[in-house]
Amino acid sequence: MSTTADLERLAEDLAAEARPDRAGTGVSPHRTALRRLRSDPVAVVSGAVVLVLVLLGLLAPLVTSLWGIHATVGHPDAPRPSEVLLFDGYPAVGPPYEPFTWQHPLGLAPRTGVDNLATLLYGLRTSLGVAVVATVLTTLVGVGVGLVAGFVGGRTDRVVSFVIDLFLSFPFLLGALALAPIVVSRFSTDPDGLALAQVVALVAVLVTFGWMGLARLIRGQVLSLREREFVQAAVVMGLSTRHILLKELLPNLVAPIVVAVSLSVPAFVAAEAGLSYLGIGLTGVPSLGQTINQAVDSFERYPLYLWAPVLTVMVLVLALNLLGDAVRDAFDPRTRR
Amino acid sequence: MTGARRGRGLLAASMVAALVLSACGGGGDGDRRDAAPDGIDRSGLGAAGSAKDPDREGPVEIDGAREGGTVRVLSADGLNSMDPSEAYFLNTLSILGGLVTRSLTQYTYDEETGDMVLVPDLATDLGTSNADYTEWTFTIRGGVKWENGREVTAEDVRYGILRSFDRSTFPGGAAYSNDYFLDGDKYKGPYRSGTGYAGVVVDGNRLTLKMERPFPDLPYWAAFPAMGPVPAGEDAPETYLRHPWATGPYMFDDYVPEKSLTLVRNPHWDPATDPARTQYPDRYEFAFQVPATQVDQVLLNDQGDGERTLTYDDVLAENFRTFQDEHPDRLELGPQPCTTYWAPDYRKVTDKRVRQALAYAYPYRDAALAAGQIENVTRVWGENLMPPGIPGRTEYSLLDTAPGETDPAAARRLLEEVDAVGYEIRWLFRGDDPLDVATKDVVVRALRDVGFTPRPVATTVADYSTERRDPDSEVNLRAAGWCSDWPSGGSWIPPVLESSDLDEEGLGSNYAAFSEPDVDRRIREVVMLPTEQQPAAWNDLGRHVAETYFPLFVIGYGGVAHAHGSKVMGHRVDGTLGMPTYKTIWLDD
């Protein structure tokens, strides 16, 4: 047991020595990466933005109740449409026709009179929730498949690689387009079930068509790690495959996994918004893409209604992407700065 | 007499004078809620569509109208069957009847009153009947030709009428011939029963129609394309709908079903024989299934072809104010003879006061906003089941509130009075229609506020009308809409309030499952009255039912808000359909 641990440490030390970052000698590569991340201004700023947005999403119920705004028209305290809307459905308070008011900083939605800030916060929550769940699931599937395929090799590897290619060749959008009406018609008589089913279906679609990249990456890494001394030693010592996979290989794959995760979250946020915009994502729960879809019709008269969710998606995806880039740079020893 | 079958997707309804509305434009900087178009002059509306002019003769000439040009028509909807025997949607009826096919009678727009007037078409008058309206005689005018130059004969008209009996070949068509004509329930049209039908008799140029029961409104039914000529031997149902033979001023040129239709001048149409139609533009080009946002943009921009474009869709509520403020001359507001109402099941919601409580609790304005309707334009308030425009109609008040007002306190008081707090209301909504879902949300809240227990039952757009028609479903209330096929109380009171045999024919159009022998008897009495007494009698009967039984309450009437380009002239609203008056359109190019 101790032998493998020593070998492992040795490998890490060797890797650390190979880096130009001399100050990092004797520190684990993950710590080094974190330190590099902290000293990267882009990473700090984008990290802070992401943190704020995540907090806003998580605390949406609290923020909206403190502010006195509501994301559904059915809430007992929400204003009735006729109280806050004009005859043609545009809000009677706040933009576009009346001056800014702190009561509704982003205005009200036409036709329903629902507060746009509340919808935005809950939409953020939905977006991030779907993206995080989808990321966790794709990571689990991708890493699991990649590990097994790479380590076991032989026929298993060929079969798994074929399955990966098969999934890669299937058009993602087509799958989503085909699934949406099936889900809607299946749950059409159960609105609450429909809202949940749509979330589940969306996550399922994102995961089904999102795990292959990571699986390939991990498989490649495992193929090269498999030939390294510490793995060979573990095999010779007769350790179980499970032990080798989880205790020997996995710790060495943390860097590519972290990078893949940090880049897939923004991709899923964008995908959720895109699918909901197309009407094949979420309809029962607040969603940024759905709001964008609704706001297009009134853009000429009421641009804020469209700009708020568009900019939010943009900032969120941009911040997550920049953060992901910074994470990759930090974890990749070959990057020089 | 069917609401749903007349393409509910196309409709929305009201009776609004265009001038009054454009005068309201702007709205100023004050309370913008007051900018809602109002001040509708309802006084003159009672007579709308009721006018008849049996002596009108062609040709029609419009002062200053120019010939030439191509009119483009855009719509977000598709286009159903264009076979005259089956046309029963607002768009197919208006395009066929206005431009392509002629019938026994027709409507024409009266510029002074804004009403539609029933005038002769292929017949020389509006028909003469015997004393009990069971036999009608028309004289077919000479000199009318098909698009290939052949003379249109009384035999051609007879054959067209025979086709209107065939409910299995033309399931989408109106069933008035079956309902009223002699042996209408047994004769199944020329394809299945042959042409030896005794109810339509030709004698030279005279056409005699025999009825099974009194049909005083027949001249209105005679204005449908189904009551016009069809060439025997050239009318294979599967192909005729792609190119119905024209007798009117325009004929089919290029037609891609549900997508586009081009009409060109019919050289054999003689204006001297036609008391209402005109032939000013060279061509009509219809484009269907154009996204609503795009239709509005083309018309707002008013550039190039957009100047010669019109739509029969309502402008989106989002763009209504822009049209109203900046282009009031290109916005056409008008009536549509439709009523939206809530019908509690008379067998289940048995207490009149509970039904009244529902009427007080209903969130009229909230629901209209959530559904994208514009107050006083596409949703007009009122309490009479019959919308403005029906002859004999009067305004009356059944509740203590003004029409369109919600009074939660009154609703709660009534519920407490009958000890029915917590009363469960179950009704259908379309879970895959965002507007319907939003409407459901505000209604649920309003009902809950006054002490009802709302239990909306989800269904789909596809299944909605079938499930609503089921008399044994779990719901105890049905949201319904009804549009009259012609301006007569006979198109309202019997279909909506006469008992139907629930086991045999289901609810029919009596969504409340309302059944009172006294009312049925009075309906039979009114049908037998002289025609000039019927309008007032229908209105009185409707009021009597509402005051005595309160079986349903009106949410609002429909109305339309069309837009057209700056070079399109003569686009008015045909109040019998809520569609453009194609017969008066020309281009100022």
Side-chain angles (χ1 to χ4, degrees):
Chain A
M1 209 44 134
S2 61
T3 325
T4 37
D6 288 346
L7 281 172
E8 206 175 311
R9 206 169 299 131
L10 181 65
E12 282 175 8
D13 288 350
L14 282 172
E17 270 174 30
R19 275 196 296 269
D21 192 356
R22 282 279 150 197
T25 316
V27 183
S28 91
H30 301 152
R31 286 237 184 110
T32 318
L34 270 180
R35 207 179 59 228
R36 295 176 77 179
L37 209 52
R38 269 201 298 274
S39 59
D40 182 349
V42 175
V44 172
V45 171
S46 54
V49 171
V50 169
L51 186 70
V52 168
L53 289 173
V54 167
L55 279 178
L56 280 176
L58 280 179
L59 301 177
L62 187 67
V63 176
T64 50
S65 72
L66 286 179
W67 210 303
I69 52 181
H70 307 279
T72 56
V73 70
H75 192 283
D77 298 330
R80 289 162 201 286
S82 57
E83 289 165 5
V84 288
L85 298 181
L86 303 169
F87 74 96
D88 55 356
Y90 282 107
V93 288
Y97 293 119
E98 303 296 326
F100 175 84
T101 160
W102 276 110
Q103 255 182 314
H104 306 287
L106 295 180
L108 296 170
R111 294 192 179 185
T112 54
V114 168
D115 186 273
N116 287 340
L117 179 63
T119 315
L120 190 79
L121 292 179
Y122 276 96
L124 207 55
R125 192 183 163 90
T126 312
S127 282
L128 286 168
V130 166
V132 166
V133 173
T135 303
V136 167
L137 291 179
T138 47
T139 308
L140 286 179
V141 175
V143 169
V145 171
L147 272 177
V148 171
F151 186 72
V152 177
R155 180 170 294 182
T156 314
D157 185 28
R158 283 204 296 279
V159 169
V160 171
S161 295
F162 176 76
V163 171
I164 290 176
D165 287 342
L166 194 70
F167 272 87
L168 276 173
S169 66
F170 193 82
F172 155 72
L173 206 56
L174 196 66
L177 275 168
L179 194 62
I182 299 174
V183 172
V184 169
S185 62
R186 167 68 183 78
F187 288 91
S188 58
T189 52
D190 175 13
D192 299 328
L194 177 64
L196 183 67
Q198 279 182 328
V199 174
V200 172
L202 182 62
V203 171
V205 165
L206 292 176
V207 172
T208 309
F209 297 103
W211 59 272
M212 299 83 72
L214 187 60
R216 268 191 168 177
L217 183 78
I218 297 297
R219 173 181 164 271
Q221 294 282 322
V222 172
L223 278 181
S224 71
L225 281 177
R226 196 170 66 166
E227 308 305 325
R228 296 278 284 276
E229 290 86 347
F230 69 96
V231 181
Q232 301 283 357
V235 174
V236 169
M237 286 164 63
L239 292 174
S240 71
T241 308
R242 181 164 167 266
H243 180 94
I244 296 170
L245 287 181
L246 298 183
K247 292 283 161 68
E248 307 294 340
L249 289 174
L250 197 57
N252 286 287
L253 297 170
V254 169
I257 292 174
V258 168
V259 171
V261 164
S262 60
L263 288 175
S264 75
V265 172
F268 285 140
V269 169
E272 185 273 319
L275 289 178
S276 297
Y277 172 77
L278 291 173
I280 53 181
L282 307 176
T283 53
V285 291
S287 138
L288 295 174
Q290 192 194 327
T291 314
I292 292 171
N293 186 3
Q294 286 163 356
V296 169
D297 282 350
S298 50
F299 175 66
E300 213 156 298
R301 284 250 158 182
Y302 193 1
L304 178 67
Y305 183 33
L306 181 64
W307 280 120
V310 165
L311 287 178
T312 308
V313 172
M314 212 185 82
V315 168
L316 179 61
V317 173
L318 185 69
L320 281 168
N321 264 324
L322 288 176
L323 186 64
D325 280 350
V327 167
R328 190 184 56 201
D329 290 350
F331 273 88
D332 187 349
R334 279 160 302 185
T335 320
R336 303 184 185 273
R337 52 187 73 211
Chain B
M1 287 190 207
T2 163
R5 264 156 87 184
R6 275 182 46 175
R8 288 292 300 173
L10 289 172
L11 34 104
S14 123
M15 194 68 179
V16 170
L19 283 173
V20 175
L21 265 161
S22 46
C24 290
D29 292 316
D31 182 0
R32 280 171 192 271
R33 239 180 281 197
D34 289 342
D38 57 8
I40 299 157
D41 178 15
R42 288 163 192 271
S43 57
L45 300 181
S50 60
K52 295 179 184 176
D53 183 357
D55 304 321
R56 191 76 62 100
E57 289 294 333
V60 177
E61 276 175 31
I62 299 171
D63 285 344
R66 298 183 200 183
E67 295 212 349
T70 299
V71 177
R72 296 171 79 236
V73 184
L74 304 179
S75 171
D77 292 291
L79 191 71
N80 291 68
S81 170
M82 287 294 268
D83 190 302
S85 304
E86 191 166 30
Y88 199 26
F89 282 84
L90 300 171
N91 52 1
T92 54
L93 284 174
S94 63
I95 294 170
L96 275 181
L99 299 169
V100 182
T101 59
R102 298 181 62 173
S103 311
L104 289 172
T105 63
Q106 63 177 330
Y107 294 94
T108 188
Y109 181 77
D110 183 0
E111 195 72 43
E112 277 173 32
T113 60
D115 295 340
M116 299 305 288
V117 181
L118 191 72
V119 298
D121 192 355
L122 286 176
T124 52
D125 56 14
L126 296 177
T128 46
S129 76
N130 60 358
D132 62 354
Y133 310 108
T134 52
E135 190 171 303
W136 286 86
T137 307
F138 293 86
T139 307
I140 306 298
R141 68 175 81 228
V144 179
K145 295 192 174 73
W146 293 103
E147 63 182 68
N148 60 6
R150 215 175 80 189
E151 184 95 6
V152 174
T153 64
E155 281 293 342
D156 292 332
V157 180
R158 176 176 187 267
Y159 186 74
I161 295 174
L162 296 191
R163 263 173 130 242
S164 73
F165 286 84
D166 195 334
R167 290 278 66 77
S168 64
T169 311
F170 308 113
Y176 292 106
S177 294
N178 307 75
D179 292 345
Y180 287 99
F181 279 48
L182 184 71
D183 292 332
D185 50 341
K186 298 185 198 80
Y187 180 67
K188 298 193 187 313
Y191 306 126
R192 290 188 295 158
S193 306
T195 53
Y197 170 62
V200 185
V201 180
V202 173
D203 175 18
N205 61 350
R206 287 166 62 82
L207 193 67
T208 304
L209 310 178
K210 294 174 182 164
M211 305 292 125
E212 185 77 48
R213 53 195 183 113
F215 193 12
D217 285 342
L218 181 114
Y220 293 112
W221 169 229
F224 274 68
M227 295 293 278
V230 170
E234 311 280 350
D235 64 320
E238 57 275 16
T239 54
Y240 195 68
L241 58 89
R242 290 178 188 272
H243 189 130
W245 282 24
T247 44
Y250 294 89
M251 57 188 194
F252 276 45
D253 182 32
D254 186 43
Y255 176 35
V256 182
E258 302 276 0
K259 289 304 286 183
S260 67
L261 168 66
T262 306
L263 301 178
V264 295
R265 284 171 188 272
N266 172 8
H268 295 285
W269 174 76
D270 178 2
T273 65
D274 201 321
R277 293 181 187 83
T278 59
Q279 196 185 39
Y280 291 107
D282 290 334
R283 294 159 69 84
Y284 277 88
E285 289 182 5
F286 295 83
F288 308 104
Q289 298 189 9
V290 182
T293 320
Q294 196 181 326
V295 174
D296 278 13
Q297 281 310 318
V298 167
L299 289 159
L300 277 173
N301 292 340
D302 195 35
Q303 296 292 318
D305 282 346
E307 293 180 317
R308 298 169 201 87
T309 300
L310 63 91
T311 180
Y312 51 76
D313 296 345
D314 292 334
V315 299
L316 293 174
E318 283 85 351
N319 298 320
F320 180 79
R321 190 188 305 223
T322 314
F323 277 108
Q324 197 193 27
D325 291 359
E326 294 163 26
H327 315 288
D329 52 326
R330 301 202 287 109
L331 182 67
E332 288 299 328
L333 304 173
Q336 191 163 47
C338 297
T339 300
T340 308
Y341 59 94
W342 255 26
D345 195 309
Y346 199 67
R347 302 163 299 172
K348 297 177 184 168
V349 186
T350 47
D351 197 312
K352 181 183 169 189
R353 283 170 294 181
V354 174
R355 300 194 289 269
Q356 283 170 328
L358 277 170
Y360 280 117
Y362 191 85
Y364 299 91
R365 290 197 158 79
D366 294 340
L369 285 165
Q373 305 287 1
I374 305 166
E375 204 177 318
N376 287 341
V377 176
T378 56
R379 175 144 310 166
V380 177
W381 311 124
E383 294 186 51
N384 192 332
L385 170 68
M386 302 195 292
I390 303 300
R393 175 188 185 274
T394 57
E395 292 286 344
Y396 51 74
S397 184
L398 303 163
L399 303 171
D400 298 335
T401 48
E405 294 289 341
T406 307
D407 188 346
R412 180 166 273 283
R413 214 165 35 241
L414 276 169
L415 272 190
E416 282 165 358
E417 204 177 296
V418 290
D419 196 21
V421 175
Y423 196 96
E424 209 172 86
I425 298 296
R426 298 181 302 274
W427 77 100
L428 291 167
F429 74 99
R430 287 154 283 196
D432 48 352
D433 176 355
L435 292 182
D436 210 27
V437 173
T439 312
K440 179 259 312 179
D441 287 342
V442 297
V443 170
V444 163
R445 187 177 158 196
L447 293 184
R448 191 179 290 136
D449 277 358
V450 303
F452 282 106
T453 307
R455 292 241 187 284
V457 180
T459 178
T460 58
V461 172
D463 296 337
Y464 183 69
S465 52
T466 317
E467 289 193 21
R468 189 177 54 174
R469 230 180 296 134
D470 177 10
D472 305 317
S473 70
E474 53 171 329
V475 300
N476 63 359
L477 183 147
R478 294 177 185 84
W482 186 253
C483 298
S484 52
D485 282 348
W486 51 74
S488 157
S491 194
W492 283 93
I493 306 297
V496 178
L497 295 171
E498 193 172 20
S499 322
S500 60
D501 186 338
L502 293 176
D503 297 327
E504 279 290 312
E505 44 180 329
L507 288 171
S509 45
N510 181 352
Y511 291 109
F514 178 72
S515 175
E516 288 289 344
D518 162 54
V519 174
D520 293 344
R521 184 180 50 77
R522 292 179 67 155
I523 286 175
R524 285 193 297 274
E525 283 170 14
V526 175
V527 171
M528 294 309 292
L529 287 175
T531 25
E532 59 277 11
Q533 291 176 25
Q534 289 194 8
W538 285 127
N539 190 62
D540 291 345
L541 179 53
R543 181 172 190 158
H544 165 74
V545 172
E547 283 173 350
T548 317
Y549 308 103
F550 202 79
L552 50 87
F553 66 93
V554 173
I555 291 169
Y557 309 123
V560 297
H562 300 167
H564 60 81
S566 55
K567 288 185 174 163
V568 176
M569 299 290 146
H571 177 171
R572 302 285 179 270
V573 176
D574 172 349
T576 61
L577 298 169
M579 286 280 128
T581 52
Y582 293 108
K583 293 169 189 175
T584 60
I585 286 174
W586 55 281
L587 289 175
D588 187 16
D589 237 340

